[in-house]
């Protein structure tokens, strides 16, 4: 939309910015449908309750990232034969250094090897959501605790990233690694975020032509440590 009273070079004031944000929020709710406000309230309530449950259970510590995976929209079509719908889920792992930089083309092999090691380790370093079946618009509404590996405890948060990977479950073959994003821990708040935000998904090296990700978005929010 266009702010018609700002067509000149006049700068935006704080009130102008607040007004524009409110209008954009209302337009977004209108586009989501008549029950959008209720659905967002329910999702926010669920996020808060799951966050508190993690804290009370002791799963969340000062060396934990808490990620709320709300939903995803416009995921690409599955490569498997059928109707093009996939069975998507997300895995998350804290790594040192930006994993999106200088990636090798064998990322899938390395991640699957790490998942295999994590499955037999006492300290689980890779976390995952549930798998949503036969959809390009999954709704997880799930809060997941992602531990910082013991080998990285004491590393400045500026050097640590949460590597988020989107997978398509395959009951007959290896699961397909579809897309990714990464988020710096130092930019995450130390308390539960007010709501999830949409983020783009980036291709896997060597698979740039496999999936159409231009419209794909995943709604996430993050916090560090056990603060409520």
């Amino acid at each position: 939309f266009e702010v018609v009273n700002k067509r000149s070079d006049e700068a935006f004031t704080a009130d102008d910015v607040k007004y524009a944000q409110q209008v954009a929020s209302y337009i977004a709710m209108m586009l989501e449908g008549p029950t959008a406000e209720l659905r967002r309230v329910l999702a926010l309530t669920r996020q808060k309750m799951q966050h508190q449950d993690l804290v009370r259970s002791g799963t969340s510590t000062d060396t934990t990232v808490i990620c709320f995976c709300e939903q995803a929209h416009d995921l690409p079509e599955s490569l498997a034969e059928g109707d093009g719908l996939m069975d998507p889920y997300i895995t998350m792992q804290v790594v040192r250094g930006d994993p999106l930089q200088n990636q090798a083309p064998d990322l899938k092999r390395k991640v699957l090897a790490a998942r295999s090691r994590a499955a037999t380790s006492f300290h689980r370093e890779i976390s995952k959501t549930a798998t949503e079946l036969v959809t390009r618009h999954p709704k997880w509404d799930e809060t997941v605790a992602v531990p910082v590996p013991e080998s990285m405890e004491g590393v400045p948060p500026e050097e640590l990233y949460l590597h988020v990977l989107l997978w398509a479950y395959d009951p007959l073959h290896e699961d397909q690694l579809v897309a990714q994003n990464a988020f710096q821990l130092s930019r995450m708040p130390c308390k539960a975020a007010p709501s999830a935000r949409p983020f783009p998904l980036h291709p896997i090296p060597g698979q740039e032509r496999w999936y159409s990700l231009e419209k794909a978005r995943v709604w996430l929010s993050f916090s560090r440590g056990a603060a409520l």
Side-chain angles (χ1 to χ4, degrees), residues 16 22 24 62 67 73 97-98 121-122 124 135 159 194 196 204 227:
D16 291 332
Q22 289 175 332
D62 290 339
C67 179
H73 282 185
D98 187 349
S121 174
F122 178 76
R124 294 293 179 92
T135 180
E159 299 180 21
I204 305 300

Side-chain angles (χ1 to χ4, degrees), residues 7-200:
R7 288 175 174 170
S8 65
D9 294 333
E10 184 180 355
F12 275 68
T13 66
D15 288 339
D16 291 332
V17 173
K18 183 177 180 180
Y19 172 72
Q21 290 173 335
Q22 289 175 332
V23 172
S25 175
Y26 291 141
I27 292 176
M29 289 181 181
M30 290 170 57
L31 294 175
E32 290 181 29
T35 61
E37 293 182 2
L38 176 59
R39 285 187 280 113
R40 287 201 172 276
V41 169
L42 292 175
L44 182 60
T45 302
R46 187 181 299 109
Q47 174 190 0
K48 185 68 174 178
M49 292 176 64
Q50 291 175 344
H51 189 279
Q52 291 176 337
D53 288 343
L54 279 176
V55 173
R56 295 192 184 101
S57 69
T59 304
S60 172
T61 69
D62 290 339
T63 56
T64 300
V65 174
I66 298 178
C67 179
F68 178 63
C69 304
E70 182 180 291
Q71 61 183 319
H73 282 185
D74 297 313
L75 295 184
E77 293 187 358
S78 172
L79 298 181
E81 294 183 2
D83 54 13
L85 300 177
M86 64 172 60
D87 299 337
Y89 66 90
I90 286 176
T91 63
M92 291 152 284
Q93 181 182 18
V94 175
V95 299
R96 189 169 188 173
D98 187 349
L100 302 185
Q101 300 296 320
N102 302 318
Q103 283 187 327
D106 59 346
L107 174 64
K108 178 182 177 181
R109 181 186 62 80
K110 291 181 178 179
V111 174
L112 286 174
R115 286 176 58 175
S116 179
R117 292 193 300 271
T120 59
S121 174
F122 178 76
H123 298 285
R124 294 293 179 92
E125 297 180 354
I126 300 177
S127 302
K128 72 180 290 292
T129 67
T131 303
E132 291 291 301
L133 302 178
V134 195
T135 180
R136 294 178 58 207
H137 311 282
K139 295 184 183 298
W140 291 288
D141 285 332
E142 187 174 350
T143 300
V144 180
V146 188
V148 175
E150 289 185 330
S151 60
M152 299 180 193
E153 292 183 8
V155 174
E158 293 79 10
E159 299 180 21
L160 299 179
Y161 289 77
L162 182 68
H163 196 193
V164 176
L165 298 172
L166 173 70
W167 297 80
Y169 171 70
D170 189 328
L172 301 178
H173 306 93
E174 278 188 344
D175 293 353
Q176 293 299 310
L177 181 54
V178 178
Q180 62 179 331
N181 205 334
F183 305 91
Q184 195 173 24
L185 265 63
S186 61
R187 298 186 178 183
M188 298 178 184
C190 292
K191 61 180 181 179
S195 61
R197 295 168 44 204
F199 294 96

